[in-house]
C-alpha cells in the first residue's frame, strides 16, 4: 500500500511539473510572438522593389511610370536599375527610380545575391545595345518630355540621340530618363 501511495504522490508531482512546464512554454511563446513579428518586419525592410520584380519575371505586370503613365505587359527582365516589359505593341525599358507603383507582382522576392551576373548590367548597357543596332525608339523623361530618335552613343550619365531627318543630336540625361519605348 505504501508503494501505491508513493506512486500516486509521484504521479501528482510529475503532473504538476508537466503543467508548470506547459504554462512556462505558453508564456514564453506569448512573450516571443511580438518579438518575432517585429523581427519579420525589420527583415522585410531589406527587400527592394527590384528583388520583388525579379521574382515576378514572366508575369503580367502593370507599372505606373513617372512622366509616362501606365505601362503593362510581361515582365521579361530585371537588372540593375531597370526592367524590361514586353507590351502588346512595344517593348519598354523602364528605369526603376521612375516606377511609382506595380500591380501583378509576385509575393516572393529574389535577393540580389541570387541574381544572374547579367542582371548586374545597368541601363547604359541596354542603351549601348540599342545604339549598336540602330534601333529607333522614344526616350521618355520623368517630366513627360519625349525624344524620338536613334541612340548613337552612350556617355557616363547621358545618351546621345539622333533626331529627325537631319540627325540633329539631342543629349538625354540619365537622371531624368524614365523609360525607353521601342518604336517599330
Amino acid at each position: 500500500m505504501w508503494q501505491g501511495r508513493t506512486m500516486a504522490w509521484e504521479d501528482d508531482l510529475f503532473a504538476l511539473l508537466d503543467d508548470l512546464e506547459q504554462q512556462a512554454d505558453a508564456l514564453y511563446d506569448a512573450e516571443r510572438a511580438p518579438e518575432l513579428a517585429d523581427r519579420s518586419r525589420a527583415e522585410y525592410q531589406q527587400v527592394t522593389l527590384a528583388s520583388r520584380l525579379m521574382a515576378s519575371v514572366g508575369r503580367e505586370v502593370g507599372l505606373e511610370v513617372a512622366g509616362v503613365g501606365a505601362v503593362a505587359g510581361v515582365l521579361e527582365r530585371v537588372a540593375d536599375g531597370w526592367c524590361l516589359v514586353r507590351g502588346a505593341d512595344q517593348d519598354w525599358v523602364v528605369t526603376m527610380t521612375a516606377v511609382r507603383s506595380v500591380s501583378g507582382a509576385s509575393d516572393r522576392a529574389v535577393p540580389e545575391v541570387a541574381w544572374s551576373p547579367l542582371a548586374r548590367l545597368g541601363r547604359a548597357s541596354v542603351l549601348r545595345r540599342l545604339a549598336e543596332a540602330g534601333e529607333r525608339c522614344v526616350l521618355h523623361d520623368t517630366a513627360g518630355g519625349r525624344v524620338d530618335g536613334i541612340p548613337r552613343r552612350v556617355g557616363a550619365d547621358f545618351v546621345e540621340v539622333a533626331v529627325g531627318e537631319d540627325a540633329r543630336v539631342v543629349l538625354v540625361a540619365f537622371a531624368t530618363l524614365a523609360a525607353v519605348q521601342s518604336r517599330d
Side-chain angles (χ1 to χ4, degrees):
M1 195 70 176
W2 173 257
Q3 191 172 0
R5 244 195 231 153
T6 304
M7 292 301 266
W9 178 80
E10 284 178 354
D11 288 343
D12 289 344
L13 178 62
F14 286 132
L16 175 66
L17 291 174
D18 284 343
D19 185 49
L20 288 174
E21 188 174 338
Q22 289 174 359
Q23 287 179 28
D25 285 344
L27 285 171
Y28 176 75
D29 289 344
E31 288 176 5
R32 193 152 183 242
E35 178 187 341
L36 289 175
D38 188 47
R39 276 190 194 172
S40 176
R41 283 188 295 272
E43 286 298 317
Y44 192 73
Q45 77 182 9
Q46 303 299 318
V47 176
T48 64
L49 176 62
S51 64
R52 284 289 301 272
L53 288 177
M54 184 61 84
S56 303
V57 169
R59 293 177 66 125
E60 185 81 25
V61 296
L63 305 178
E64 185 63 33
V65 181
V68 177
V71 172
V74 176
L75 184 62
E76 292 288 327
R77 180 174 289 181
V78 177
D80 185 25
W82 62 277
C83 64
L84 173 64
V85 177
R86 178 148 294 143
D89 297 329
Q90 292 115 5
D91 291 342
W92 291 85
V93 174
V94 179
T95 302
M96 291 299 225
T97 55
V99 175
R100 290 184 178 160
S101 64
V102 178
S103 60
S106 170
D107 291 336
R108 298 179 335 107
V110 176
E112 290 186 33
V113 297
W115 292 11
S116 155
L118 292 176
R120 306 226 187 289
L121 296 175
R123 64 184 163 183
S125 295
V126 174
L127 291 167
R128 277 192 292 277
R129 177 135 184 197
L130 290 172
E132 288 169 6
E135 294 283 335
R136 185 178 158 102
C137 56
V138 181
L139 289 85
H140 297 264
D141 68 33
T142 55
R146 299 166 45 128
V147 175
D148 189 341
I150 300 171
R152 292 290 184 207
R153 296 187 293 182
V154 180
D157 59 353
F158 70 95
V159 58
E160 181 180 293
V161 182
V163 177
E165 304 241 347
D166 60 350
R168 171 177 53 90
V169 173
V170 174
L171 305 179
V172 178
F174 285 171
T176 63
L177 185 61
V180 179
Q181 174 188 9
S182 65
R183 189 69 174 146
D184 299 325

